[in-house]
Amino acid sequence: MELKIINKLSELDRVAEFLEDFGERNGVPGTVIFEINLSIDELVTNTINYGFDDDNEHFISISSEKKGNIISVELKDDGIEFNPFAKPDPDITLPLEEKPIGGLGIYFVKLKMDEWAYMRKDNLNIIQLKKSFN
Amino acid sequence: MDILTEKMDNFYVFKLVGRLDASTSNDFEEKVLDAISAGETNMIINFNELEYISSSGLRVLLVAAKKLKAKSGVIKICGMKNHIREVFEIAGFTPLFVIEDNCG
């Protein structure tokens, strides 16, 4: 299944509906869909907020498939080259006063997905995620 | 997302209904910062009907916690669903708030 959204945060609702629909059609438990939704939300939000250096409308595509008990999701955008997984993980044990604002989203992706990969190809950012479930 | 607010004893109460993500967190942040500017230091955030939270929602709560800590205030969060509590745990946010199962 595939969804194309534009680079506006209001599209996050359509992402959620798309993934719920994908989950229902494929018999994927709600808890797993929540984790996939959270991961894609964080990546797409980053891309929409920081990925484009012009004011034009851009498309972000999200495709998902299930083979056996493994779900694969691929995100593509034509924004500036950026590997979201290159940053070090945050220290979540810091006390309130020292906790930085932000920086948790990509960490959630790494915790919730089994595999993640980034590549730059044909001027596109391509992110591939995999998640297995029982 | 809908945000309902009311004053209850010494607490300023926010009830969040729906999804708290990057498309709705600005609205929530504005309301929280307005309340803090108006002198509110104790807050209850009712999560009974909150279905979803992303790091953008956590960000607002962290900003509020930092501001209220400086004023010796408190933020209570009640009625968290399990999948949302799990997000608080992996983010290291559980110790920052008073978390109550029931909103009473």
Side-chain angles (χ1 to χ4, degrees), chain A residues 9-10 12-13 16 20 34 37-38 41-42 45 92 96-102 104-105 107-108 111-112, chain B residues 19 21-23 51-56 58-59 62-63 65-66 69 83 86-87 89-93 96:
Chain A
L9 291 172
S10 55
L12 289 173
D13 279 347
E20 271 159 31
F34 171 75
N37 190 351
L38 180 63
D41 170 333
E42 300 291 358
T45 296
I92 63 151
L96 176 60
E97 295 81 354
E98 294 166 38
K99 263 191 201 301
I101 305 288
L104 285 169
Y107 178 60
F108 289 169
L111 285 181
K112 292 301 184 189
Chain B
R19 301 172 66 85
D21 61 20
S23 72
E51 303 300 331
Y52 179 89
I53 195 165
S54 74
S55 67
S56 301
L58 294 186
R59 188 189 154 281
L62 180 60
V63 167
K66 281 177 184 271
K69 171 116 188 195
H83 61 276
E86 160 81 9
V87 175
E89 274 163 20
I90 62 173
F93 270 42
L96 310 184

Side-chain angles (χ1 to χ4, degrees), chain A residues 13-25:
Chain A
D13 279 347
R14 287 181 61 218
V15 173
E17 282 165 24
F18 168 77
L19 292 170
E20 271 159 31
D21 187 27
F22 172 79
E24 272 170 32
R25 285 168 192 240

Side-chain angles (χ1 to χ4, degrees), chain B residues 21-42:
Chain B
D21 61 20
S23 72
T24 54
S25 59
N26 286 351
D27 185 22
F28 179 46
E29 179 165 22
E30 213 169 280
K31 289 187 163 71
V32 168
L33 294 181
D34 281 352
I36 294 172
S37 299
E40 301 292 345
T41 52
N42 298 315

Side-chain angles (χ1 to χ4, degrees), chain B residues 77-95:
Chain B
I77 303 177
C78 63
M80 236 185 242
K81 293 181 166 54
N82 283 339
H83 61 276
I84 291 179
R85 186 183 280 258
E86 160 81 9
V87 175
F88 271 66
E89 274 163 20
I90 62 173
F93 270 42
T94 313

Side-chain angles (χ1 to χ4, degrees), chain A residues 17-117:
Chain A
E17 282 165 24
F18 168 77
L19 292 170
E20 271 159 31
D21 187 27
F22 172 79
E24 272 170 32
R25 285 168 192 240
N26 291 284
V28 183
T31 49
V32 176
I33 290 298
F34 171 75
E35 294 179 332
I36 293 172
N37 190 351
L38 180 63
S39 302
I40 293 172
D41 170 333
E42 300 291 358
L43 290 163
V44 166
T45 296
N46 265 8
T47 300
I48 293 173
N49 282 338
Y50 310 113
F52 304 102
D53 52 8
D54 57 39
D55 295 328
N56 300 337
E57 195 169 277
H58 292 267
F59 286 105
I60 301 168
S61 79
I62 302 164
S63 57
S64 55
E65 63 170 12
K66 175 177 161 285
K67 277 188 183 156
N69 66 338
I70 298 173
I71 296 162
S72 308
V73 183
E74 187 172 80
L75 303 176
K76 285 186 194 167
D77 70 73
D78 66 349
I80 50 181
E81 182 169 358
F82 179 69
N83 177 0
F85 305 118
K87 269 201 321 182
D89 293 341
D91 179 359
I92 63 151
T93 64
L94 289 173
L96 176 60
E97 295 81 354
E98 294 166 38
K99 263 191 201 301
I101 305 288
L104 285 169
I106 302 306
Y107 178 60
F108 289 169
V109 180
K110 290 178 172 179
L111 285 181
K112 292 301 184 189
M113 296 297 104
D114 299 331
E115 292 177 32
W116 58 89

